[in-house]
Structures are given as C-alpha cells and as structure tokens.
C-alpha cells in the first residue's frame, strides 16, 4: 500500500507542520510498496521503448510518465498522447503547441525518439591525449634538429626556426582540439589533412599517410574481430588507432536511454504523486505545495520578465495563488490581459516587494506569498472558520514570518 501523508490541521497551521516533516514524509512515501514498484518498473523498462506507440501501449509506463508531468487525467487519451509525442514541439503547428498547455510541450520535448549517434570523438577531452603525444614527438624532432651543425653554428637561425616550430605546434593545438570533437565518421577524419597528420604522427603511422583505403578500413573495423586488417597485419599501432577512435562502435541512442533519464522522470513522478496525495487531504495545501515546487524554476528560467508573468496568468494554479494572496477581485481575469499583467506586477511589488520575478527564487519571498494565500483562502466565505481558529492561524503565521 502507498503511504498517506499526514497534515495536522488546515490552512497555514497544516502547511507549517507539513513543511516541518516534509523530508521524513516524502521518504516514507517514496519507499512505500506501490511507489517503489512503479518506479522500479519504469526505470527497468523505459530504456527499451523506441516509439511513442510502444510507450502508450504500456499502461504502467505511460501512467508514470504522465503523472510526472501532472497529466494523470490523460491516461486514457492514448491517441492524443501518441500524436503529441510523434509530432514533437519544434513545429509551431504541432498539436502540442496548438493546445496551449506547456505540459504537452514539455512532454513532447522530453520523450523524443530521434536516435542520436554518440561518437568517441565527442567525449570530453578526447583529443587531449592524442595531441599530447603528437606534441611530444614534434618537440623531440625539434631538439634533434637544433643539434645539427647548421643550427648550432647559427644561433639566430636556430632561434627563428625554434620559434616558428613552437608557433606551428600551438596553432595546430587550437585547430585540432576545436575540430576533432566535430568528427563523426572515418571519411570526415581522413578528408581533413591537418587532423589526419596529427593523428598519424601520434600513432607512429605517418608512413601510411597516402594509404587512404587502408586507413579507412583500419578505422572502420573492430580489431577484436577475426579478419580485421589491423589484426591481420599484426600492427599494434593500427590496433591502437582503431580502438582509440572506435568508429565501429558508434551506437545510436534516444534520449530515453541517456544517463539519468529514467531516474529524473521517476523522481518527478514521486513528487507529483506526493503532491496529489496532499491535495486529496487538503486542496489548498496541495495547491501551495505545487506552487512552491514550480515557481522557483520559472523564476530562474532565461525567458523575459513579462513572459514569466504571462506564464503565471496562463497557469490555473499559479494564477489562483497570486490572485488569492494579493486579494485581487473576482473579475480580474476578465479584463484585458496586458492590464492584468500590469496590475499583478504592481500589486506583487507593493505587497511582497517583488521588483523582479527572480525575487521568487528567494525562499522567504516565496513563503510570504504562500502564507498570504493560505490565510486569505481560510478567510474566504467558502472556507469559513470560527474566530478562535482564525486567530490561532493568524498568530501562527505571524510567529513563523518573524523567525
């Protein structure tokens, strides 16, 4: 069975008690049998899914995926979800964009099934060791040259020669490191003379510089397989070259098979399930919890100030919290949208000192809004309480904010 959160009290009192026990309650919830069973299944299976159709046909996987994005109510909308994922969100005319709900867009962007081939050359620092070896050989050759009589007897000529060689090495370093990471095939490597020259010197294969056909085969074949040219020729330098670049081992993966994908979705699923469970006990505290989780990421996003506030106005949950916390009139949502933007910004600054939406990254500012929301919500006619309970709530809120 799933663990049920505990809320001792309602409104601000219940909220403060939930916050005080959040870590232990979330841990117990996440470790409950039902949640553990579903997250384990998702993490084990999602990497094998290669299409939107496969995803929607596995109800357990789809349930976790949709819940992670706050879309549990769409579990039976298989055709809709499949189409959204298949179309993606890059095209403005796609269904996800036309629905006007950011959850669909995020879902489409997250579950992208386009295969991306990962090459060894794209690994962080791949070219460093190769160029280090190349540079060592070049400097050894430079030292040997400077010991020749023509340089020993003409120090000026030797200095000019050394300066030029060192400069060439530095220029080559910049070019090699900047460009080797963009190489995605044997052909691309061999078609770049400068890159190839560095590689062949580093692997002591300069004598093969004109043997394009042989190099192509060496780089394309797994030296561990019987019959591969590098193995047949018994050339350890060729084997090392092939293994280093491993073009033969390039593997296409979707984002679903990437590092931490399953874990990230599972974590979002657990968070959303916990918040839904809280909402079942107290819808206002559940709303406040959703608000607490979602607003900081919006505040830290790179979109413009106006876009952030328009996002608030376009979100039923965030709009509700702000309207209640700021005491905005019932007809507020009916006025011109630009006027709404102006009013909510002005009132948020006057009431909570929010001069920039980024201020909401501050926990103290966020708590002021949530506390005001919960107090105003309790004082509404729909949630009337006895005077004693209201006084207790107001007193608790004042004490908490003064800490």
């Amino acid at each position: 069975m799933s663990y049920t959160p505990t809320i001792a009290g309602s409104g601000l009192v219940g909220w403060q008690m939930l916050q005080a026990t959040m870590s232990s309650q979330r841990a117990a919830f996440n470790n409950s049998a039902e949640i553990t069973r579903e997250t384990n299944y998702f993490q084990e299976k999602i990497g094998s899914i290669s299409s939107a159709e496969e995803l929607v046909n596995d109800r357990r996987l789809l349930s976790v995926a949709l819940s992670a994005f706050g879309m549990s109510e769409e579990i039976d909308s298989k055709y809709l979800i499949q189409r959204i994922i298949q179309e993606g969100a890059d095209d403005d005319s796609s269904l996800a964009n036309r629905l006007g709900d950011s959850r669909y867009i995020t879902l489409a962007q997250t579950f992208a099934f386009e295969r991306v081939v990962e090459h060894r050359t794209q690994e962080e620092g791949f070219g460093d060791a190769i160029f280090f070896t190349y540079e060592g050989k070049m400097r050894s050759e430079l030292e040997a040259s400077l010991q020749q009589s023509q340089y020993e007897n003409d120090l000026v000529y030797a200095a000019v020669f050394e300066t030029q060689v060192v400069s060439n090495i530095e220029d080559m370093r910049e070019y090699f490191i900047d460009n080797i990471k963009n190489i995605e095939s044997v052909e691309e490597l061999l078609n770049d003379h400068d890159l190839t020259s560095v590689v062949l010197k580093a692997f002591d294969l300069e004598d093969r510089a004109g043997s394009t056909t042989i190099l192509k085969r060496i780089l394309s074949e797994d030296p561990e397989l019987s019959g591969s040219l590098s193995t047949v020729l018994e050339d350890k330098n060729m084997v090392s070259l092939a293994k280093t670049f491993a073009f033969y081992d390039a593997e296409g993966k979707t984002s679903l098979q990437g590092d931490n994908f399953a874990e990230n979705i599972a974590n979002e699923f657990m968070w959303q399930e916990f918040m839904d469970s809280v909402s079942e006990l107290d819808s206002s505290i559940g709303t406040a919890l959703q608000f607490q989780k979602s607003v900081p990421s919006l505040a830290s996003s790179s979109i413009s100030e106006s876009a952030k506030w328009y996002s608030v106005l376009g979100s039923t949950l965030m709009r509700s919290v702000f309207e209640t916390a700021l005491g905005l009139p019932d007809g507020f949502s009916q006025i011109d949208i630009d006027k709404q933007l102006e009013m909510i910004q002005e009132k948020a600054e006057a009431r909570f000192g929010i001069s920039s939406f980024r201020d909401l990254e501050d926990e103290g500012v966020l708590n002021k809004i949530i506390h005001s929301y919960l107090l105003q919500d309790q004082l509404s006619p729909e949630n009337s309480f006895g005077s004693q309970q209201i006084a207790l709530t107001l007193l608790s809120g004042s004490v908490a904010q003064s800490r």
Side-chain angles (χ1 to χ4, degrees):
M1 294 181 63
S2 180
Y3 170 86
T4 301
T6 301
I7 301 178
S10 59
L12 189 53
V13 172
W15 170 259
Q16 291 172 333
M17 291 184 176
L18 175 63
Q19 292 294 296
T21 59
M22 180 72 76
S23 296
S24 59
Q25 291 215 52
R26 281 206 64 205
F29 184 86
N30 293 346
N31 291 326
S32 63
E34 181 180 340
I35 296 298
T36 299
R37 184 169 58 249
E38 295 309 302
T39 53
N40 285 346
Y41 180 82
F42 183 86
Q43 290 179 291
E44 290 171 5
K45 295 286 186 179
I46 194 63
S48 65
I49 300 298
S50 59
S51 69
E53 183 178 6
E54 286 183 30
L55 177 62
V56 300
N57 284 333
D58 188 319
R59 190 176 179 86
R60 289 179 69 184
L61 287 180
L62 183 62
S63 176
V64 173
L66 292 178
S67 180
F69 292 91
M71 299 171 60
S72 296
E73 74 280 2
E74 301 290 357
I75 187 63
D76 293 316
S77 304
K78 289 175 58 177
Y79 174 76
L80 173 67
I81 299 302
Q82 181 175 335
R83 182 178 168 186
I84 285 172
I85 294 175
Q86 286 176 336
E87 289 185 7
D90 292 337
D91 192 331
D92 290 341
S93 64
S94 66
L95 182 58
N97 284 306
R98 288 191 283 116
L99 287 173
D101 188 326
S102 61
R103 296 178 305 168
Y104 293 110
I105 296 173
T106 306
L107 179 71
Q109 292 172 334
T110 302
F111 285 87
F113 287 97
E114 291 184 9
R115 298 191 72 79
V116 177
V117 178
E118 297 180 353
H119 298 278
R120 185 75 61 80
T121 53
Q122 296 166 330
E123 294 178 359
E124 186 70 26
F126 171 82
D128 294 344
I130 296 174
F131 196 85
F132 179 80
T133 302
Y134 165 83
E135 182 176 0
K137 294 179 183 298
M138 289 294 293
R139 288 188 180 276
S140 293
E141 291 178 4
L142 172 61
E143 290 178 8
S145 296
L146 292 175
Q147 291 174 9
Q148 295 175 13
S149 60
Q150 64 190 51
Y151 296 109
E152 287 186 331
N153 297 328
D154 190 336
L155 296 181
V156 174
Y157 181 39
V160 171
F161 175 70
E162 182 177 9
T163 300
Q164 184 61 56
V165 171
V166 171
S167 177
N168 290 343
I169 290 174
E170 293 306 313
D171 289 344
M172 187 62 80
R173 181 203 306 279
E174 181 177 357
Y175 181 83
F176 186 82
I177 298 301
D178 286 348
N179 290 278
I180 194 65
K181 61 188 176 185
N182 299 320
I183 297 299
E184 297 183 353
S185 69
V186 175
E187 290 76 13
E188 287 184 0
L189 176 61
L190 297 180
N191 286 337
D192 190 311
H193 177 268
D194 290 336
L195 293 181
T196 302
S197 65
V198 171
V199 170
L200 294 183
K201 177 174 281 292
F203 287 90
D204 288 326
L205 290 169
E206 290 176 279
D207 60 326
R208 298 288 184 176
S211 307
T212 304
T213 301
I214 292 177
L215 289 173
K216 183 175 181 180
R217 183 174 169 185
I218 291 170
L219 286 161
S220 301
E221 296 176 341
D222 184 349
E224 297 294 331
L225 297 179
S226 176
S228 63
L229 184 59
S230 58
T231 303
V232 171
L233 294 176
E234 298 182 347
D235 189 320
K236 63 179 182 180
N237 293 331
M238 291 182 178
V239 171
S240 180
L241 173 67
K243 287 185 175 181
T244 298
F245 281 85
F247 285 112
Y248 52 81
D249 197 33
E251 182 180 358
K253 294 182 179 181
T254 67
S255 60
L256 278 66
Q257 298 164 324
D259 295 341
N260 301 323
F261 178 87
E263 182 182 357
N264 291 339
I265 297 296
N267 287 337
E268 287 301 312
F269 163 75
M270 290 186 288
W271 244 120
Q272 191 63 49
E273 289 292 297
F274 180 80
M275 291 188 291
D276 288 346
S277 295
V278 170
S279 294
E280 290 177 6
L281 298 174
D282 189 304
S283 60
S284 296
I285 292 179
T287 296
L289 193 57
Q290 294 266 10
F291 183 84
Q292 183 188 51
K293 182 178 183 297
S294 60
V295 167
S297 59
L298 176 60
S300 63
S301 70
S302 59
I303 62 176
S304 69
E305 182 77 3
S306 294
K308 291 175 183 179
W309 283 109
Y310 278 125
S311 295
V312 168
L313 296 174
S315 165
T316 301
L317 183 142
M318 287 192 283
R319 171 190 278 273
S320 173
V321 172
F322 269 105
E323 287 184 354
T324 303
L326 293 171
L328 294 170
D330 292 339
F332 175 72
S333 62
Q334 305 303 313
I335 65 177
D336 179 77
I337 188 66
D338 292 330
K339 186 62 177 177
Q340 290 183 47
L341 176 65
E342 181 183 339
M343 286 182 62
I344 198 170
Q345 286 179 303
E346 288 178 355
K347 288 188 173 293
E349 182 170 10
R351 181 74 178 273
F352 302 116
I354 300 173
S355 58
S356 167
F357 203 92
R358 294 191 71 93
D359 293 339
L360 289 164
E361 291 184 75
D362 184 282
E363 185 178 349
V365 175
L366 192 62
N367 283 336
K368 287 181 182 179
I369 299 172
I370 292 173
H371 291 178
S372 180
Y373 161 73
L374 290 170
L375 288 173
Q376 293 298 328
D377 182 72
Q378 275 190 288
L379 293 170
S380 67
E382 295 82 5
N383 296 317
S384 58
F385 288 80
S387 58
Q388 186 175 8
Q389 177 63 36
I390 292 175
L392 174 62
T393 300
L394 289 169
L395 177 60
S396 300
S398 299
V399 171
Q401 290 187 32
S402 65
R403 290 175 181 171

